[in-house]
Amino acid sequence: MHPFSSVAVGSCATGTREPGQGRKAAALSGTPGVPQTAWPPLSRTGAAAPGPNVACMENPDPTVGPADEDHQADHDLMGVALAEAALAATAGEVPVGAVVAVGGRIVARRHNEREATGDPTAHAEVLALRDAATALGTWRLDDAVLVVTLEPCPMCAGAAWAARIGRLVWGAPNPEAGAVGSLYNLGSDPRLNHEYPATGGIRAGDCAGLLTSFFARHR
């Protein structure tokens, strides 16, 4: 069972399980005749990868995760992301909001806009990263923190990797498509040329509540 109060919906969830998910499970199962996927993945040197670099703040371990002041900053930034998510819900979008901050200063804040734009890539994280790069005049966001109300999907976790994000913070887990701890961990894969630490579960109940209430009204 997932350590957080999970919701089976997300910014890229369909509500139904796709056929490929069965093949993925089989690839991790040890079933004879099925090509197997190693987990944890091996690094480029062949060494076993370390465990996922995700601090779970709903059940915090005092030996891991950010300092107390950073945790409070994450909590405050998540409040802004939640406000963005609420705007998305009002507009009929899946309520996911994202914020990019540098040194505690917000440089970008966005929410999902897939319905409004007809753009399948218009997730809150991608839009916020684009705006942050424009505001800072560089695509490298290694001094920035990305805060998002829902654990990013593979596309958005990959966008954070491409931006060389310094740290990622997410609220509710995404058991259907999460790529920063739930299904994959693109932020902590030694085969990639950049890794970033992540903190999960910040205001998870508030973030999940927006999603469950939205889908209760729309499904």
Side-chain angles (χ1 to χ4, degrees):
M1 186 173 182
H2 203 285
F4 307 133
S5 300
S6 61
V7 290
V9 297
S11 59
C12 56
T14 62
T16 58
R17 193 167 295 277
E18 299 177 5
Q21 292 180 297
R23 292 193 295 273
K24 176 182 67 184
L28 292 168
S29 68
T31 304
V34 177
Q36 296 296 297
T37 299
W39 190 263
L42 299 180
S43 71
R44 290 186 292 274
T45 64
N53 191 19
V54 180
C56 301
M57 300 308 291
E58 288 294 85
N59 297 289
D61 179 337
T63 66
V64 298
D68 289 343
E69 58 271 21
D70 291 335
H71 179 65
Q72 184 59 49
D74 293 346
H75 190 277
D76 294 342
L77 289 170
M78 188 62 77
V80 178
L82 279 163
E84 284 291 321
L87 290 175
T90 300
E93 302 275 357
V94 173
V96 177
V99 169
V100 177
V102 177
R105 179 176 67 92
I106 294 174
V107 296
R109 50 185 293 176
R110 295 293 293 269
H111 56 261
N112 274 3
E113 294 185 10
R114 288 191 306 174
E115 302 300 328
T117 63
D119 179 359
T121 71
H123 290 198
E125 303 97 304
V126 171
L127 298 176
L129 289 169
R130 289 174 181 168
D131 285 358
T134 298
L136 297 172
T138 177
W139 63 269
R140 286 186 174 272
L141 304 178
D142 46 0
D143 291 329
V145 57
L146 171 63
V147 180
V148 59
T149 57
L150 180 68
E151 179 189 354
C153 69
M155 177 184 72
C156 296
W161 164 83
R164 304 298 189 265
I165 200 72
R167 192 164 70 91
L168 189 144
V169 176
W170 52 263
N174 187 349
E176 293 294 312
V180 190
S182 289
L183 300 182
Y184 309 100
N185 195 343
L186 294 184
S188 186
D189 188 330
R191 296 170 298 180
L192 298 175
N193 63 353
H194 173 69
E195 296 178 52
Y196 53 84
T199 301
I202 299 295
R203 300 188 65 172
D206 294 334
C207 296
L210 274 176
L211 288 161
T212 53
S213 62
F214 174 84
F215 283 102
R217 293 193 305 270
H218 289 83
R219 288 183 174 174

